[in-house]
Amino acid sequence: MNESPAITLDHVVKSYAAAGGTVVALDGVSLTFDAGTSVAVTGHSGCGKSTLLAVMGALEVPDSGRVRVAGQLLADMSASARARIRRADFGFIFQSDNLIPYLTAVENLAQQMALSGTAVDLSRCTEMLQRLGLSEHLHKLPDQLSGGQRQRVAMARALVHRPRYVLADEPTGSLDRASSLEAIEFLLAQQEETRATLVVVTHDPSVAARFATRVALSDGRIVAATTGHRPALNR
Ligand code: ADP
Ligand code: MG
């Protein structure tokens, strides 16, 4: 099907200055994410998963190595061009929901559509929230919602502008087991429908098990990669 590389990393190194010296978060990572695929990135806390997403999503600049998005070197792009692709081509989901507290659920989605440069389509915003079981909560502010509901709004917001790349950092970290599996099924279904490239960082083996392609990180290096068929849902 659609097998051109969407995002490639070539010998990417990223370190941080920390109290005890330099921490090497990514230690020479080379990876290719094909367009239209879904990949889980696993590994223990501190192994570099969030840093990997940050350099892929043009949120952090690596110390060395190259990152390409749709064939284009991020390092060759101006800061404003990088900001533009972040808003238009990427959807980010973080462990904490990062919703705008003074906008309702539906307004949070509408604002994302506007930022991405897409015409605001309120019926799409409403439909996305309904698909996530939030019909009763469309016009509530984030602090009127539970943690799990807020996280589902954040997922809908990350997808509403039909981004080509969806990067999710421990998206189910604040959800119970049942909601967490439901949320992952939603992300995978959306990915299939839109043919986006979906990368989900998780340390939860039951979440990782839903992905045919898995990449394992340890101490900033890739230690294993699996590619196969997506396992059938078995609950
Ligand atoms: P993970 O997401 O797998 O838990 P991270 O990518 O967040 O790992 O972090 C990798 C390593 O880099 C850790 O040792 C972490 O403490 C360190 N690190 C990450 N971000 C920063 C930062 N902004 N400043 C200093 N150290 C950082
Ligand atoms: Mg992390």
Side-chain angles (χ1 to χ4, degrees):
M1 212 176 274
N2 195 354
E3 294 276 320
S4 60
I7 301 180
T8 59
L9 292 92
D10 187 12
H11 295 95
V12 169
V13 175
K14 174 72 189 176
S15 53
Y16 295 103
T22 304
V23 175
V24 182
L26 296 177
D27 191 8
V29 170
S30 297
L31 267 178
T32 297
F33 295 88
D34 290 330
T37 57
S38 52
V39 179
V41 177
T42 64
H44 293 297
S45 175
C47 72
K49 303 183 298 299
S50 296
T51 306
L52 177 71
L53 281 197
V55 301
M56 289 172 66
L59 295 164
E60 292 259 32
V61 178
D63 304 342
S64 63
R66 284 175 291 274
V67 182
R68 283 189 177 78
V69 174
Q72 223 193 330
L73 264 180
L74 288 184
D76 284 349
M77 297 169 69
S78 65
S80 67
R82 277 199 297 269
R84 200 175 320 117
I85 69 159
R86 270 201 303 268
R87 285 197 304 262
D89 295 342
F90 282 89
F92 295 98
I93 306 169
F94 299 103
Q95 184 168 358
S96 58
D97 55 67
N98 297 106
L99 296 174
I100 296 174
Y102 50 84
L103 296 180
T104 65
V106 83
E107 287 167 350
N108 262 280
L109 270 63
Q111 195 247 10
Q112 171 62 47
M113 280 194 123
L115 274 180
S116 75
T118 322
V120 174
D121 175 351
L122 282 178
S123 61
R124 175 163 168 84
C125 297
T126 304
E127 188 204 302
M128 294 283 293
L129 292 167
Q130 284 167 341
R131 282 175 69 170
L132 280 160
L134 293 164
S135 309
E136 312 289 304
H137 308 290
L138 302 176
H139 305 296
K140 290 189 182 164
L141 295 170
D143 70 4
Q144 297 172 303
L145 300 170
S146 71
Q149 289 165 343
R150 281 200 299 273
Q151 189 60 346
R152 280 180 279 156
V153 176
M155 284 190 184
R157 185 184 58 172
L159 299 165
V160 72
H161 56 300
R162 298 185 177 84
R164 294 163 73 181
Y165 316 106
V166 179
L167 306 185
D169 194 352
E170 310 270 8
T172 62
S174 63
L175 305 181
D176 61 33
R177 193 182 148 72
S179 333
S180 137
L181 289 177
E182 239 171 67
I184 290 297
E185 293 317 312
F186 172 79
L187 283 180
L188 288 168
Q190 286 286 318
Q191 184 275 329
E192 266 185 7
E193 197 178 302
T194 61
R195 307 308 301 163
T197 302
L198 170 67
V199 182
V200 175
V201 157
T202 182
H203 62 248
D204 179 345
S206 64
V207 169
R210 297 295 303 125
F211 291 77
T213 305
R214 296 188 287 277
V215 173
L217 277 181
S218 177
D219 283 341
R221 291 171 189 240
I222 294 165
V223 290
T226 326
T227 304
H229 294 292
R230 181 178 297 167
L233 187 57
N234 181 11
R235 287 191 257 191

